Each structure stands twice: as structure tokens, then as C-alpha cells.
């Protein structure tokens, strides 16, 4: 029987919820690309429950324990004395979420001789050293598409919040004020602005689709062009490189994976090429933006606002400058872990586990690494080094 080690974020400070704001979440059977949502043999949770925190245990406890497996769930993930490091040496399966990543470094993988499967409950496996997983024959899988639309909704929310100056206006209400001029002195309409996405994959395209009805001028750059009919439908302008995109955009949203080409992409030089007073929204990965360049640009007015939910490291330390820089709308890493998204990626995690224990193939679209090489989605989205 296997040991499954699951790293999840902490429960709410006032305890695991006993009731919810709504009685459920709408059911979705298919994603926009036609693939079906996860289809495990059964679910031991009600969609809409908090599953991503320690007590929620991704709804896996009954399923795993009745099958005789051991499930260890912890939020204690960093440092040599952590529960994660202590439990890792005899774990067969590790489950982690990008929001609270258990970094599976080469050193940690070397200390886990029984490890066969690393599941990302969500999307984005850059917290796993994929080259080490390849070398050790570990399968890496994630729940592709489970939270792409969730993230795109967060992006649209953040763009509107920044452009319309929503958060400071809300703060005036909390503070007992009615300071209309203070609220509107930085407030604009999004209509007729130029809005561009760096990458038009699942999330980037969903952002473009959602923004189209706002009567903005849409732009994108990507390594591959969208099909002609999609470009025509969205009336979106393609840019061969990010420099050309940022020059013309009032709002830029980053939806590319973190890899050597994108790490620190938004540095002083690139931000300096943006229009003065542009807005930048990054829900992809914190390291795509140079931390201090963002702060400098907000302080100088080169950027009118910055928002996102991704930081480095995570959790961000209390003194991380993005907590206190001006004109920001940061959240913790939450965009892909709404209760709606959790229901899908918890079901997908169970589907992957069922396949693993039954010796059945895991869906190709969920695979990142298998059999000592990049596989499935991983072949397209990641590089081994
Ligand atoms: P996809 O794989 O569907 O799309 C990524 C796109 O980025 C692809 O079209 C890819 O092109 C393109 N791309 C890669 N490198 C570059 C580059 N240097 N310049 C321009 N485009 C590039 O991924 P998703 O849309 O599902 O997710 C995007 C990222 O969002 C994830 O990698 C993850 O880091 C992040 N994410 C964040 C979440 C959150 O909660 N905040 C949740 C889920 C994801 P090509 O086709 O050539 O590879």
C-alpha cells in the first residue's frame, strides 16, 4: 500500500467552514477546447466545499484510506525540519498546489527513492525539478484546464480594478469617507484602450474573449499565431515580439509560463518601453517580472498600476516590497483556487490517482513527464533543462 503525501495551504484562521456563501457551484462538463472535465469513478465531496486547505484534503481521504493507502496532509513544506521533508523518503505519491508549492528540488527527489508520481493539483509544475523527475523515472501530472477560466476571470477583475481605481475607492468607504474626487482622480474607462496579452494559450485566449465585449483594441504576442479565424473573430492584432506589443498597449496581461525566455522578462528596460501610465497584470508567475523594477516603475509613474496573484517566493515574506508599493492590487496566489476550480482539480487529482493505482494510462493532456521524458502537455509547454 502506498503513502500519499499531500501539501495544502492552511485552513482559514477562524477554522474550517461549516457552511458556505452559496449552496453549490454550476456543473461544467467540457472545457472550451472540447476536452471533458475530470471523470473519476466517484467523488467523496460536494463541489463548492473548501478542498484545497489541510482539512479539505482535496476530498481524497475516504477514497485513499478505504483502499488501504496512507494519506499524510500537511502545510509544513519548507526547510529540512518540515513535515514534508520528514515524510518524503517513503512517499510514493506527492501532491502539491502551485498556490502553496512544495518545491520538489533535485535534492529532495534524490531523498525520495520510492517516489513514482508527483501531481500538481492545478496547473503549472515549475515547482518540480522536471530534469530530476525525468532522471528518476517519476511521472509528473497536472490537471490541465481545471482553473484556466478561473484565472482569466481574475485577470479581467484586476484590469478593471486598476483602471477604474476600485480598491482605493472601496478603502474610502471602509474608512468612513465620501471622497469622490480622491477616488476618481486616478479612475478611467477601459473602453477604447489597447489591451495586450503576452501569450495566448488557454488563459490568454480566455482573457481576450472576455475583454472583447468591452470595446477595447486587443493585441497579443505568442510563439505561435492563433488560427486566422480566431484572430478575425476577436479582431486581435498579432505582434511578433513583446517589445512591439508593450509599445502600443495601455494594459498588458502576462499569461506565459515561467521558463528561461520569460524569467525577468519585464525588467527596467522592457517596462521603460511601455506607455507612461500603463497597467501591468501578472497572474502567470512572479519571477516573470523583476521585483524591484516593478516597484521603481510604480513610484516613478511609468506604471499607473500593477496587479496579480503570483509572487516569489510563495508565501511572500512580510517585508516583500510588492505588499507596500503604491497603486497595486495584489492578492495572494488565489486566482486558480476558487471553490469552483477546486472542485475540478480535486476531481482531476482523484482521476490521476485512480489511473496510477489501477495501472491505467493517465490522460495524455494531464501528463508533463512520463517514462523518463517530457510527455503529453509537458512536451509542448516545458523544457527539460
Ligand atoms: P498554455 O500552455 O495554454 O499557454 C501558454 C502560452 O504561452 C502558449 O501559447 C505558449 O506558446 C506561450 N508562450 C510560451 N513562451 C512564450 C514567450 N516567451 N512569449 C510569448 N508566448 C509564450 O498555458 P495556460 O494559458 O494554461 O497557463 C499559462 C501560465 O499561467 C501557466 O504556465 C502558469 O504559470 C500560469 N497559471 C497561473 C495560475 C494562477 O493561479 N495564477 C493557474 C494556472 C496557470 P507555445 O504554444 O509556443 O508553447
Amino acid at each position: 500500500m502506498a503513502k500519499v503525501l499531500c501539501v495544502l495551504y492552511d485552513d482559514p484562521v477562524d477554522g474550517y467552514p461549516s457552511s458556505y456563501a452559496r449552496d453549490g457551484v454550476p456543473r461544467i462538463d467540457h472545457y472550451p477546447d472540447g476536452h471533458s472535465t475530470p471523470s473519476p469513478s466517484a467523488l467523496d465531496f460536494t463541489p463548492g466545499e473548501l478542498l484545497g486547505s489541510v482539512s479539505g484534503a482535496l476530498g481524497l481521504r475516504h477514497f485513499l484510506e478505504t483502499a488501504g493507502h496512507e494519506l499524510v496532509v500537511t502545510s509544513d513544506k519548507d526547510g529540512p525540519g518540515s513535515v514534508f521533508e520528514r515524510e518524503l523518503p517513503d512517499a510514493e505519491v506527492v501532491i502539491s498546489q502551485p498556490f502553496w508549492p512544495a518545491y520538489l528540488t533535485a535534492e529532495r527527489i534524490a531523498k525520495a527513492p520510492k517516489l513514482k508520481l508527483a501531481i500538481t493539483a492545478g496547473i503549472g509544475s515549475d515547482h518540480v525539478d522536471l530534469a530530476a523527475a525525468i532522471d528518476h523515472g517519476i511521472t509528473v501530472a497536472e490537471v490541465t484546464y481545471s482553473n484556466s477560466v478561473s484565472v482569466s476571470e481574475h485577470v479581467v477583475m484586476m484590469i478593471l480594478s486598476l483602471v477604474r481605481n476600485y480598491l482605493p475607492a472601496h478603502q474610502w468607504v471602509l474608512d468612513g469617507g465620501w471622497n469622490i474626487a480622491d477616488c476618481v482622480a486616478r479612475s478611467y474607462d477601459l473602453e477604447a484602450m489597447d489591451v495586450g496579452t503576452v501569450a495566448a494559450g488557454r488563459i490568454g485566449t480566455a482573457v481576450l474573449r472576455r475583454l472583447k465585449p468591452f470595446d477595447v483594441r486587443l493585441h497579443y504576442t505568442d510563439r505561435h499565431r492563433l488560427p486566422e479565424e480566431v484572430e478575425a473573430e476577436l479582431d486581435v492584432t498579432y505582434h511578433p515580439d513583446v517589445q512591439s506589443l508593450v509599445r502600443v498597449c495601455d494594459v498588458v496581461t502576462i499569461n506565459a509560463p515561467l521558463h528561461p525566455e520569460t524569467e525577468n522578462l519585464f525588467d527596467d528596460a522592457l517596462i521603460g518601453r511601455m506607455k507612461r501610465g500603463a497597467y501591468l497584470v501578472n497572474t502567470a508567475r512572479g519571477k516573470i517580472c523583476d521585483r524591484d523594477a516593478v516597484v521603481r516603475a510604480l513610484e516613478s509613474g511609468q506604471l499607473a498600476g500593477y496587479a496579480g496573484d503570483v509572487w516569489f517566493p510563495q508565501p511572500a515574506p512580510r517585508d516583500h516590497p510588492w505588499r507596500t508599493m503604491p497603486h497595486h492590487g495584489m492578492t495572494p496566489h488565489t486566482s486558480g483556487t476558487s471553490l469552483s476550480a477546486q472542485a475540478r482539480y480535486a476531481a482531476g487529482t482523484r482521476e490521476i490517482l485512480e489511473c496510477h493505482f489501477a495501472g491505467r494510462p493517465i490522460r495524455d493532456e494531464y501528463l508533463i513527464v512520463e517514462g523518463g521524458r517530457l510527455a503529453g502537455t509537458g512536451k509542448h509547454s516545458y523544457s527539460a533543462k
Side-chain angles (χ1 to χ4, degrees):
M1 291 295 112
K3 179 193 221 176
V4 177
L5 177 54
C6 187
V7 176
L8 300 177
Y9 45 77
D10 286 310
D11 285 350
V13 285
D14 52 358
Y16 190 73
S18 53
S19 67
Y20 291 88
R22 295 178 51 79
D23 295 330
V25 293
R27 193 180 153 74
I28 294 167
D29 296 321
H30 285 86
Y31 298 121
D33 68 353
H35 281 112
S36 59
T37 49
S39 49
S41 63
L43 289 181
D44 299 318
F45 60 83
T46 304
E49 290 174 350
L50 179 62
L51 303 166
S53 75
V54 170
S55 295
L58 293 175
L60 296 171
R61 191 167 292 286
H62 177 76
F63 156 65
L64 287 171
E65 291 182 349
T66 51
H69 302 298
E70 183 190 358
L71 175 65
V72 177
V73 183
T74 181
S75 63
D76 184 18
K77 65 186 182 71
D78 293 319
S82 61
V83 173
F84 181 63
E85 287 229 347
R86 237 184 14 248
E87 299 283 350
L88 187 60
D90 58 346
E92 177 173 318
V93 180
V94 164
I95 303 169
S96 166
Q97 302 171 109
F99 327 104
W100 189 258
Y103 295 105
L104 257 185
T105 58
E107 297 71 38
R108 282 177 160 178
I109 286 175
K111 289 185 210 154
K114 294 192 173 165
L115 189 59
K116 293 195 179 125
L117 175 63
I119 304 176
T120 301
I123 303 174
S125 297
D126 48 272
H127 59 282
V128 180
D129 186 317
L130 297 182
I134 286 170
D135 289 347
H136 287 76
I138 296 165
T139 297
V140 181
E142 56 185 51
V143 190
T144 301
Y145 233 132
S146 58
N147 57 15
S148 309
V149 169
S150 322
V151 177
S152 72
E153 289 187 2
H154 206 85
V155 172
V156 173
M157 172 186 79
M158 286 182 149
I159 290 174
L160 288 168
S161 301
L162 289 180
V163 173
R164 301 207 55 96
N165 207 34
Y166 165 62
L167 289 170
H170 182 60
Q171 190 61 48
W172 278 113
V173 170
L174 296 178
D175 294 344
W178 191 261
N179 300 49
I180 295 174
D182 292 284
C183 298
V184 300
R186 296 183 66 89
S187 175
Y188 298 87
D189 290 354
L190 184 62
E191 184 184 21
M193 284 192 176
D194 287 86
V195 183
T197 174
V198 179
R202 283 175 292 265
I203 297 173
T205 307
V207 171
L208 292 172
R209 284 192 190 290
R210 277 155 184 75
L211 286 176
K212 172 103 178 92
F214 282 89
D215 292 329
V216 292
R217 286 190 292 268
L218 293 172
H219 303 260
Y220 81 103
T221 183
D222 197 297
R223 298 198 298 205
H224 297 103
R225 278 188 84 145
L226 290 167
E228 251 175 70
E229 61 276 15
V230 176
E231 281 192 4
E233 178 201 338
L234 295 173
D235 194 14
V236 58
T237 305
Y238 171 74
H239 294 260
D241 53 54
V242 69
Q243 285 79 7
S244 145
L245 177 114
V246 301
R247 250 181 340 103
V248 299
C249 285
D250 303 288
V251 180
V252 173
T253 152
I254 307 174
N255 299 294
L258 174 67
H259 56 75
E261 228 175 275
T262 55
E263 186 163 346
N264 265 327
L265 179 65
F266 279 79
D267 56 7
D268 286 305
L270 187 62
I271 295 174
R273 288 206 177 92
M274 297 176 77
K275 284 187 179 176
R276 191 192 78 84
Y279 303 89
L280 184 56
V281 171
N282 175 16
T283 53
R285 284 297 177 259
K287 278 183 165 183
I288 296 175
C289 293
D290 177 323
R291 187 191 71 174
D292 298 331
V294 168
V295 178
R296 281 190 288 272
L298 288 168
E299 285 171 353
S300 73
Q302 173 60 14
L303 284 179
Y306 181 92
D309 68 331
V310 285
W311 308 64
F312 188 80
Q314 292 189 179
R318 289 192 80 92
D319 62 352
H320 195 295
W322 287 3
R323 290 184 188 271
T324 48
M325 63 192 179
H327 313 305
H328 82 82
M330 295 298 296
T331 62
H333 195 164
T334 53
S335 67
T337 185
S338 58
L339 295 177
S340 323
Q342 288 174 40
R344 288 187 294 274
Y345 68 67
T349 300
R350 172 148 175 184
E351 181 186 322
I352 293 167
L353 287 169
E354 286 181 2
C355 291
H356 172 72
F357 290 125
R360 287 198 311 267
I362 294 167
R363 288 193 207 199
D364 207 46
E365 71 256 29
Y366 291 171
L367 288 174
I368 304 300
V369 170
E370 194 185 46
R373 60 175 71 89
L374 290 171
T377 294
K379 263 196 300 209
H380 185 84
S381 305
Y382 292 88
S383 57
K385 297 290 167 209

